[in-house]
Amino acid sequence: MASPLYVEFLRFRMLKLALVDKLADYEDELRQLKSSNQPTSDPNVNVQPPSRPTSAAGIQRNPLQSRISHLLPSNRRATSQPPSSAPADQTSHTNNRENAELLTMLTREQSLRQAAESRVSQTNEELEELSAQLFSEANEMVATERKARAKLEERVAVLERRDKEKRTRLEVLESRLGRIEKVREMLK
């Protein structure tokens, strides 16, 4: 009975680890993108070096995970011709727009991460509740089984005692019957 719950627990745990790794990869990628761009003076931006490698072992990249990299100017420049002599105002405007896009993406990813973490914590709480409920039900089942077994053992003991009493009575009756037959033979 605990086997399906344990399997479900392991599935949730693996799902949780995959979600955490995926979100951490997103944040690492955003940090790398921010650090590869020109440093901004925005105090709301917290640029930190990646705390772990961007690819988690056992998790394969899919197109949705790499879509952020398509928005980067470095990728655009690598796939297209280098920009010709563009005015400085246009370049700074482009950089500001890209920074704004990156900030929007960062806040979106952070909100997604918070939502995923809240779902993971909610799932963990549900799992703990289910585990507690399962163990309490198992304990109740064991207690009921013990009570039923104790009743059966008591019933067996009573039946064995009655059987023993009946055997002794039968032996007494057989011995009396034997005496009666002896007396009848003597009287004949």
Side-chain angles (χ1 to χ4, degrees):
M1 182 171 173
S3 178
L5 183 63
Y6 185 70
V7 169
E8 192 71 16
F9 169 75
L10 291 177
R11 188 177 70 81
F12 279 130
R13 195 172 205 180
M14 294 300 291
L15 207 110
K16 173 186 167 185
L17 291 174
L19 284 174
V20 168
D21 283 345
K22 187 175 180 181
L23 289 172
D25 288 343
Y26 280 150
E27 284 189 347
D28 290 344
E29 189 173 346
L30 283 173
R31 281 191 202 109
Q32 285 180 348
L33 294 175
K34 293 287 261 181
S35 66
S36 69
N37 283 345
Q38 294 176 353
T40 61
S41 61
D42 190 358
N44 295 333
V45 178
N46 187 10
V47 179
Q48 298 175 355
S51 59
R52 56 188 229 28
T54 57
S55 64
I59 298 177
Q60 298 179 352
R61 295 273 184 207
N62 62 24
L64 293 177
Q65 289 176 329
S66 63
R67 68 179 173 202
I68 294 174
S69 62
H70 291 286
L71 299 173
L72 297 177
S74 61
N75 285 346
R76 288 184 199 150
R77 288 185 194 123
T79 58
S80 65
Q81 296 177 355
S84 58
S85 58
D89 291 339
Q90 187 179 12
T91 306
S92 66
H93 178 67
T94 305
N95 284 340
N96 288 339
R97 190 182 73 213
E98 289 172 355
N99 286 340
E101 288 176 6
L102 287 174
L103 283 174
T104 305
M105 290 168 41
L106 177 65
T107 55
R108 185 177 147 263
E109 292 298 325
Q110 286 176 340
S111 66
L112 288 174
R113 180 179 181 157
Q114 287 175 348
E117 286 177 349
S118 68
R119 284 191 301 247
V120 165
S121 65
Q122 181 183 7
T123 304
N124 283 340
E125 289 173 4
E126 289 177 10
L127 185 61
E128 288 176 9
E129 289 174 9
L130 288 173
S131 296
Q133 183 180 4
L134 175 70
F135 284 115
S136 67
E137 287 177 7
N139 286 338
E140 287 176 14
M141 288 174 62
V142 167
T144 334
E145 182 65 29
R146 284 182 182 165
K147 287 177 184 176
R149 185 176 178 150
K151 282 184 180 180
L152 285 175
E153 287 176 354
E154 183 180 328
R155 180 75 177 150
V156 166
V158 167
L159 290 175
E160 285 178 350
R161 184 175 41 87
R162 285 182 184 173
D163 186 45
K164 186 176 179 182
E165 289 174 0
K166 287 180 182 178
R167 283 185 187 168
T168 55
R169 285 181 189 166
L170 184 63
E171 288 174 2
V172 168
L173 288 175
E174 285 177 352
S175 68
R176 286 183 183 171
L177 186 62
R179 285 187 207 158
I180 290 174
E181 286 181 7
K182 283 182 186 177
V183 169
R184 274 189 188 168
E185 283 181 21
M186 286 163 75
L187 291 175
K188 282 188 184 180

